[in-house]
């Protein structure tokens, strides 16, 4: 049986069609298998796919009628074929021809769904082009030519006003044009730049190994290239940290194979960020020492509280202890963020009884939140390789947030399961929820939605730290939410540690 399963897996991985398998018996039909072709089609790595529902490929484009067709097929347990708009990891649209079919066990019950997917973007493009060509009229040629000339002049004006360096290169990396911002930033003239080979600029100052790698190795196979960092020490203008964006024009005609190279000087911005991080790190450490002393004195006061102490004294002492602990938690979050930013967060992997760890965390939070009922569902029976203290920190944060942002609801659902070689945790609350815009930024450091900022205290660090911890384990953390209907935060972890979690 094992040999048959291995053979089947190899056969599926050899297919040029994208293939996924979802588990119908688990909530939300999570993906438990995907082949290499599906990774290539979608642009996501396996560890970013496993555990998600297929709808993540539609991003915000949720109004397609094909989604209702798919949902009905899942509900009725029947085959269906649709053509649906999907989006790759980099945001590019592609058309997906999806054939979905249920898999039943010996008792006739549906256990899984298998989806076979083919990228039909080129066919769609051809169909679109044919429709466009049929509508074209010969009498429009002159008008379009004039419009093109106007467009070129307009684009040239835009290029000159862009606040970052912009070069246009020919296929041999000779500079065809350079905008004013490039000339000003790198202190050169148009005569020294235009018509020259890029690497030879400034007496070969631009002969940078990382730049060669971008243009010669990366760009031909990954067009365009976005936010590629290059650091270089220029002899005349000093060290620069640059953010490069490159795009090879793959159209026919006079602009064929030209390369657009945008160069943003982020040296000053990075230095400001570094100073800010240094300040936060120093401030956090300096605050931690006196706060530890204050906590010690508070414990002494609580232990030596007079038996006949008035109620106001006891109440005040309790409030002070509460706010000291809250301040301690905030400083701890700042320290965690500082370690992440400086790359000093350490991962100490060890074998962890996953179900036991989850149960203990849930019990601990439940004991401190009697007004909320935390419902734990599922089991994995998995022993995983992970940093237990870090994962407990993530769970504590997600559960605390579920309580904090659901003050008017009394239930929180926690579901754990196996999804292929990963374990998955979902924490669902029935609180205030988030807008689509907020879900896109919720894991950024210091980000807090406008409404949340007004109603709930916090600094917007906790979820950023959680996201970095899960990424450090080579897992993924994501959120699905609807305004006024609560949020579900989910994460996956590779069972065999970060080395088994892929890129």
């Amino acid at each position: 049986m094992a040999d048959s399963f291995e053979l089947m897996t190899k056969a599926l991985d050899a297919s040029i069609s994208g293939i996924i398998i979802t588990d119908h018996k688990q909530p939300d039909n999570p993906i438990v298998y995907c082949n290499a072709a599906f990774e290539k089609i979608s642009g996501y790595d396996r560890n970013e796919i496993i555990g998600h529902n297929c709808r993540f490929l539609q991003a915000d484009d949720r109004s397609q009628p094909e989604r209702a067709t798919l949902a009905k097929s899942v509900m009725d347990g029947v085959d269906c074929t649709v053509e649906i708009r999907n989006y790759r990891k980099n945001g590019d649209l592609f058309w997906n021809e999806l054939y979905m079919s249920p898999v039943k066990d010996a008792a006739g019950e549906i256990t899984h769904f298998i989806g076979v997917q083919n990228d039909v973007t080129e066919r769609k493009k051809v169909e679109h082009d044919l429709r466009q060509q049929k509508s074209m009229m010969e009498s429009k040629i002159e008008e379009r030519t004039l419009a093109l000339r106007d467009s070129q002049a307009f684009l040239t004006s835009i290029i000159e006003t862009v606040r970052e360096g912009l070069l246009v290169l020919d296929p041999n990396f000779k500079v065809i044009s350079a905008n004013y911002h490039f000339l000003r930033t790198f202190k050169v003239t148009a005569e020294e730049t235009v018509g020259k080979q890029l690497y030879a600029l400034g007496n070969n100052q631009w002969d940078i190994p990382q730049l060669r790698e971008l243009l010669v190795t990366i760009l031909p196979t990954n067009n365009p290239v976005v936010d590629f960092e290059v650091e270089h020490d220029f002899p005349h203008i000093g060290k620069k940290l640059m953010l490069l964006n490159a795009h090879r024009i793959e159209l026919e005609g006079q602009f064929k194979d030209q390369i657009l190279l945008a160069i943003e000087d982020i040296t000053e911005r990075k230095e400001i960020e570094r100073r800010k991080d240094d300040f936060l790190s120093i401030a956090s450490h300096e605050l931690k020492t006196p706060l530890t002393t204050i906590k010690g004195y508070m414990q002494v006061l609580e232990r030596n509280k007079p038996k006949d102490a008035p109620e106001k004294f006891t109440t005040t002492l309790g409030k002070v202890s509460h706010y000291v602990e809250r301040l301690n938690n905030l400083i701890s979050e700042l320290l965690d963020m500082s370690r992440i930013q400086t790359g000093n967060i350490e991962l100490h992997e060890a074998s962890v009884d996953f179900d036991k760890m989850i149960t203990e965390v849930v019990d601990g939070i439940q004991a401190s939140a009697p007004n909320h009922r935390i419902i734990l569902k599922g089991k994995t029976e998995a022993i995983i390789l992970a940093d237990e203290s870090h994962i407990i920190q993530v769970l504590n944060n997600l559960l605390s947030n579920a309580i904090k942002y659901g003050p008017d609801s009394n239930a929180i659902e926690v579901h754990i399961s196996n999804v292929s070689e990963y374990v998955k945790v979902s924490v669902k609350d029935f609180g205030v929820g988030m807008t689509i815009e907020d879900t896109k930024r919720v894991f950024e450091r210091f980000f807090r939605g406008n409404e949340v900022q007004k109603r709930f205290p916090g600094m917007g660090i906790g979820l950023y730290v959680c996201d970095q911890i899960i990424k450090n384990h080579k897992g993924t953390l994501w959120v699905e939410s609807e305004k006024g209907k609560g949020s579900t935060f989910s994460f996956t972890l590779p069972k065999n540690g970060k080395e088994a979690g892929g890129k």
Side-chain angles (χ1 to χ4, degrees):
M1 183 66 71
D3 291 340
S4 299
F5 179 79
E6 183 178 358
L7 179 62
M8 182 191 73
T9 303
K10 287 183 178 179
L12 293 177
D13 280 335
S15 172
I16 61 172
S17 296
I19 298 174
I20 61 170
I21 298 174
T22 65
D23 190 340
H24 187 60
K25 290 191 172 184
Q26 291 195 37
D28 209 29
N29 272 306
I31 298 170
V32 295
Y33 169 82
C34 68
N35 70 346
F38 182 81
E39 292 184 72
K40 184 176 180 180
I41 289 172
S42 67
Y44 288 90
D45 293 331
R46 176 183 174 81
N47 68 310
E48 298 171 310
I49 296 169
I50 297 298
H52 287 252
N53 183 279
C54 301
R55 64 175 171 269
F56 83 100
L57 288 177
Q58 283 100 59
D60 298 335
D61 192 1
R62 299 291 177 88
S63 60
Q64 303 180 59
E66 290 79 7
R67 284 170 53 86
T69 302
L70 290 171
K72 189 174 186 304
S73 297
V74 171
M75 183 179 296
D76 296 342
V78 296
D79 298 352
C80 78
T81 302
V82 296
E83 289 185 358
I84 190 167
R85 293 187 299 272
N86 284 342
Y87 298 84
R88 295 188 173 88
K89 182 180 178 180
N90 63 5
D92 288 348
L93 166 70
F94 72 98
W95 280 93
N96 184 16
E97 182 185 64
L98 169 62
Y99 170 71
M100 188 179 69
S101 179
V103 178
K104 300 180 180 179
D105 61 14
E109 291 186 2
I110 297 174
T111 60
H112 298 79
F113 276 86
I114 185 166
V116 181
Q117 322 205 22
N118 292 293
D119 186 346
V120 294
T121 308
E122 286 302 316
R123 174 167 65 76
K124 284 284 188 180
K125 183 176 182 298
V126 170
E127 291 173 356
H128 176 266
D129 290 346
L130 286 173
R131 289 193 299 269
Q132 290 290 94
Q133 288 175 14
K134 286 182 68 175
S135 66
M136 286 171 57
M137 299 173 61
E138 197 64 28
S139 60
K140 297 277 186 178
I141 293 177
E142 184 177 354
E143 178 183 340
R144 290 177 59 221
T145 303
L146 292 173
L148 180 61
R149 290 173 183 169
D150 290 342
S151 296
Q152 284 184 276
F154 181 64
L155 288 174
T156 300
S157 299
I158 291 175
I159 288 170
E160 284 303 322
T161 57
V162 168
R163 293 188 60 81
E164 62 183 31
L166 189 63
L167 297 177
V168 181
L169 311 175
D170 72 9
N172 298 314
F173 311 127
K174 183 180 289 186
V175 179
I176 297 173
S177 69
N179 72 342
Y180 171 73
H181 200 77
F182 175 86
L183 302 177
R184 185 181 66 178
T185 300
F186 296 99
K187 297 179 172 55
V188 291
T189 64
E191 291 75 14
E192 295 171 322
T193 306
V194 177
K196 303 296 195 313
Q197 223 269 346
L198 174 64
Y199 305 133
L201 293 181
N203 294 323
N204 299 311
Q205 289 187 59
W206 283 85
D207 193 0
I208 305 169
Q210 288 173 289
L211 181 59
R212 281 187 180 270
E213 180 189 12
L214 168 66
L215 296 175
V216 177
T217 306
I218 301 175
L219 183 60
T221 59
N222 190 23
N223 186 29
V225 177
V226 179
D227 292 347
F228 185 86
E229 279 196 14
V230 172
E231 186 174 7
H232 186 63
D233 196 352
F234 292 91
H236 299 305
I237 60 175
K239 184 175 289 187
K240 292 284 185 183
L241 184 61
M242 300 171 287
L243 203 61
L244 273 52
N245 290 274
H247 181 77
R248 183 184 293 275
I249 301 173
E250 295 179 337
L251 302 173
E252 295 297 328
Q254 70 180 98
F255 301 114
K256 181 181 179 182
D257 290 336
Q258 289 186 3
I259 298 168
L260 302 179
L261 182 62
I263 306 169
E264 182 182 0
D265 180 5
I266 59 172
T267 312
E268 185 175 349
R269 187 176 81 197
K270 284 290 185 180
E271 178 61 21
I272 291 172
E273 289 179 1
R274 186 191 65 78
R275 290 175 183 174
K276 181 174 66 176
D277 291 337
D278 286 348
F279 169 76
L280 289 174
S281 177
I282 293 169
S284 301
H285 280 94
E286 291 299 317
L287 288 170
K288 195 75 174 176
T289 301
L291 187 63
T292 301
T293 304
I294 292 171
K295 282 186 68 176
Y297 282 130
M298 288 302 303
Q299 290 168 359
V300 171
L301 286 173
E302 287 173 341
R303 284 197 301 267
N304 295 283
K305 182 179 66 174
K307 293 181 180 179
D308 57 348
E311 183 180 349
K312 186 175 182 180
F313 177 87
T314 303
T315 303
T316 303
L317 192 61
K319 287 182 179 180
V320 173
S321 295
H322 170 75
Y323 284 107
V324 166
E325 187 58 34
R326 181 175 165 189
L327 181 58
N328 184 58
N329 291 335
L330 290 174
I331 293 173
S332 295
E333 284 186 345
L334 283 172
L335 284 170
D336 285 338
M337 187 196 68
S338 174
R339 294 188 190 102
I340 290 168
Q341 291 299 114
T342 56
N344 292 328
I345 186 169
E346 295 183 5
L347 191 63
H348 301 288
E349 290 186 323
S351 295
V352 178
D353 185 328
F354 187 71
D355 293 3
K356 180 182 177 184
M357 175 185 68
I358 297 290
T359 301
E360 289 177 351
V361 172
V362 168
D363 289 346
I365 295 291
Q366 181 67 86
S368 63
N371 295 328
H372 286 76
R373 184 166 57 97
I374 305 176
I375 306 163
L376 178 59
K377 299 179 180 179
K379 62 179 179 179
T380 67
E381 299 179 347
I383 303 297
I384 69 169
L385 193 62
D387 188 316
E388 184 173 13
S389 63
H390 282 173
I391 303 305
I392 289 174
Q393 181 179 349
V394 172
L395 288 166
N396 278 327
N397 189 283
L398 296 182
L399 287 169
S400 298
N401 280 353
I403 293 168
K404 178 179 179 180
Y405 298 117
D408 300 324
S409 64
N410 60 4
I412 297 167
E413 294 179 2
V414 179
H415 187 273
I416 59 175
S417 59
N418 290 299
V419 281
S420 193
E421 70 270 31
Y422 295 80
V423 288
K424 177 183 176 182
V425 180
S426 295
V427 177
K428 182 177 182 179
D429 67 60
F430 301 90
V432 296
M434 288 179 279
T435 63
I436 291 176
E437 291 73 20
D438 285 352
T439 61
K440 293 176 180 177
R441 300 187 58 197
V442 71
F443 298 114
E444 295 179 13
R445 61 175 180 157
F446 301 123
F447 174 78
R448 307 195 78 226
N450 289 333
E451 187 172 332
V452 168
Q453 182 73 37
K454 294 174 184 177
R455 292 183 57 188
F456 303 98
M459 293 193 299
I461 296 175
L463 286 175
Y464 166 78
V465 172
C466 289
D467 186 46
Q468 296 300 313
I469 287 173
I470 297 300
K471 283 180 178 176
N472 210 22
H473 281 77
K474 301 302 180 184
T476 54
L477 171 63
W478 69 96
V479 62
E480 293 185 87
S481 184
E482 189 173 345
K483 188 71 174 174
K485 295 186 179 180
S487 304
T488 301
F489 284 85
S490 302
F491 66 86
T492 55
L493 293 171
K495 295 177 184 177
N496 294 324
K498 67 175 184 177
E499 298 304 322
K503 293 180 282 186

